[in-house]
Amino acid sequence: MAVPKSLLNFLTFTFGSAIGFFLCYMLFSLILEEQVKTEPRILYNDPHGRHSDDDESDQLKGQMNFNADAGQHKDEDKNIAEELYHKVKILCWVMTGPQNLEKKARHVKATWAQRCNRMLFMSSEENKDFPAVGLETKEGRDQLYWKTIKAFQYVHDHHLGEADWFMKADDDTYVALDNLRWLLSKYNPEEAIYFGRRFKPYVKQGYMSGGAGYVLSKEALRRFVDAFKTNKCSHSSSIEDLALGKCMEAIGVKAGDSRDTSGKETFHPFVPEHHLIKGYLPKTFWYWNYNYYPPIEGPGCCSDLAVSFHYVDAATMYQLEYLIYHLRPYGYQFRYNPDFPKNLKTQNLSDIAKDHAKLKVEGPPKASK
């Protein structure tokens, strides 16, 4: 018995549609998979939201020694930086976890951490090989303030006499320690004060962004640790930076102005391009409403003496290390003259500027015949 032509056409159409649907499905799956692989870092519209702790895409295998070419800079005049290193002593501690020691903390250790007077990595578990201090806490965002409290208590009890200032940073924060020393050189560590990227909501004097990092004076650290013994502060909140800011205000620790002498910000809660490129951060983003001082979009956003950037992945950590400490524009003595650190026995900046101007007018000395 012959199959009706209409049924044959129906079966052919159905089979062709199924094959077409399957091929389209496979094609779109490949396209979407590729988009996920190349998707840029997402900025969550929540100042206290998730970090990129579980992001596997930015892992960098291996560790680089950026001091291997130190011979290139052997004739560089680092007298001011070296003197500040001994006069403005900074203990740095980095918030990390067992899962991030190899993914993130090792790259901090290989770059900017080497310029701290004392360096500590704080984790929930001790790691003697890395090494990392074990705070005996749980991991998770709801534990950040508790880890911060215990970390500062540990620093106070074991390392108070080793530094004047105490810097907290995340394992995806890059810090230019030499610029931070310049900023702190104008202040007395026995004054109750702390610095960072100053936000304005919820706290009258403002509070410092946790991601951009913040630095406490010795007196601020003493008061902060004592506040939990006297119940002036509590650890009931899970929002680290805001809770710490409320505590600081309650115990009379001043929120300092960390901007440079031209009014530009030095601590930054994002990577450089998020601040430098106009339109990168939409105007509906929380950032625009949180800044204590009016934020600037574009090149005017950031000081030439920037201190920190946040959400820095492993590759960008090394890029910043190169751009800050290795790249040099030929023929430049100074691009920006801030106020000079006090009590340093060095040639006066105005004298250097006069010598430089004289050289430009008269030209370099001619070789004798």
Side-chain angles (χ1 to χ4, degrees), residues 164-165 184-193 217-219:
D164 305 307
W165 301 88
L184 299 176
S185 67
K186 299 172 285 183
Y187 297 90
N188 184 349
E190 295 301 327
E191 177 186 0
I193 193 169
S217 69
K218 182 173 287 189
E219 177 59 21

Side-chain angles (χ1 to χ4, degrees), residues 133-303:
V133 175
L135 298 174
E136 298 180 355
T137 63
K138 296 178 182 179
E139 288 294 332
R141 290 202 57 77
D142 60 338
Q143 297 293 312
L144 288 181
Y145 189 41
W146 181 225
K147 284 178 72 174
T148 299
I149 295 168
K150 295 203 71 174
F152 274 126
Q153 288 175 340
Y154 179 90
V155 168
H156 177 274
D157 294 344
H158 296 88
H159 302 283
L160 184 64
E162 297 177 27
D164 305 307
W165 301 88
F166 302 86
M167 172 83 188
K168 175 266 172 185
D170 288 344
D171 54 16
D172 60 350
T173 304
Y174 184 94
V175 183
L177 265 296
D178 296 301
N179 293 345
L180 178 58
R181 287 192 179 93
W182 164 77
L183 172 69
L184 299 176
S185 67
K186 299 172 285 183
Y187 297 90
N188 184 349
E190 295 301 327
E191 177 186 0
I193 193 169
Y194 79 126
F195 296 94
R197 180 56 173 256
R198 198 170 176 184
F199 287 164
K200 66 182 178 182
Y202 312 116
V203 182
K204 185 177 180 180
Q205 70 168 0
Y207 67 97
M208 305 306 171
S209 161
Y214 44 80
V215 57
L216 279 61
S217 69
K218 182 173 287 189
E219 177 59 21
L221 176 59
R222 290 193 192 103
R223 293 192 187 189
F224 181 70
V225 171
D226 185 64
F228 293 93
K229 298 176 182 178
T230 58
N231 295 321
K232 292 180 180 178
C233 295
S234 68
H235 52 77
S236 57
S237 175
S238 62
I239 304 176
E240 167 225 339
D241 50 7
L242 177 58
L244 185 137
K246 288 182 175 180
C247 177
M248 289 295 177
E249 185 172 77
I251 59 178
V253 175
K254 180 182 177 182
D257 184 353
S258 63
R259 294 175 299 170
D260 69 18
T261 51
S262 64
K264 294 180 180 178
E265 297 279 5
T266 57
F267 287 76
H268 304 287
F270 305 113
V271 288
E273 61 263 33
H274 291 179
H275 298 283
L276 292 167
I277 308 302
K278 288 187 176 182
Y280 203 111
L281 299 176
K283 292 301 181 182
T284 55
F285 198 55
W286 63 264
Y287 169 79
W288 301 110
N289 295 320
Y290 266 67
N291 284 275
Y292 192 88
Y293 307 106
I296 297 175
E297 188 178 19
C301 67
C302 310
S303 170

Side-chain angles (χ1 to χ4, degrees), residues 81-93:
E82 289 175 354
E83 192 165 352
L84 281 176
Y85 178 86
H86 296 289
K87 290 195 172 185
V88 184
K89 294 181 179 179
I90 302 174
L91 180 148
C92 312
W93 70 264

Side-chain angles (χ1 to χ4, degrees), residues 30-40 57:
L30 289 172
I31 293 173
L32 290 173
E33 184 179 354
E34 195 64 29
Q35 285 182 342
V36 169
K37 288 180 180 179
T38 58
E39 184 179 11
S57 63

Side-chain angles (χ1 to χ4, degrees), residues 112-144:
W112 63 265
Q114 299 180 21
R115 299 178 188 91
C116 300
N117 295 86
R118 188 75 165 84
M119 184 67 217
L120 298 171
F121 290 89
M122 300 291 189
S123 177
S124 57
E125 301 174 6
E126 183 182 20
N127 186 311
K128 294 182 179 179
D129 296 325
F130 189 79
V133 175
L135 298 174
E136 298 180 355
T137 63
K138 296 178 182 179
E139 288 294 332
R141 290 202 57 77
D142 60 338
Q143 297 293 312
L144 288 181

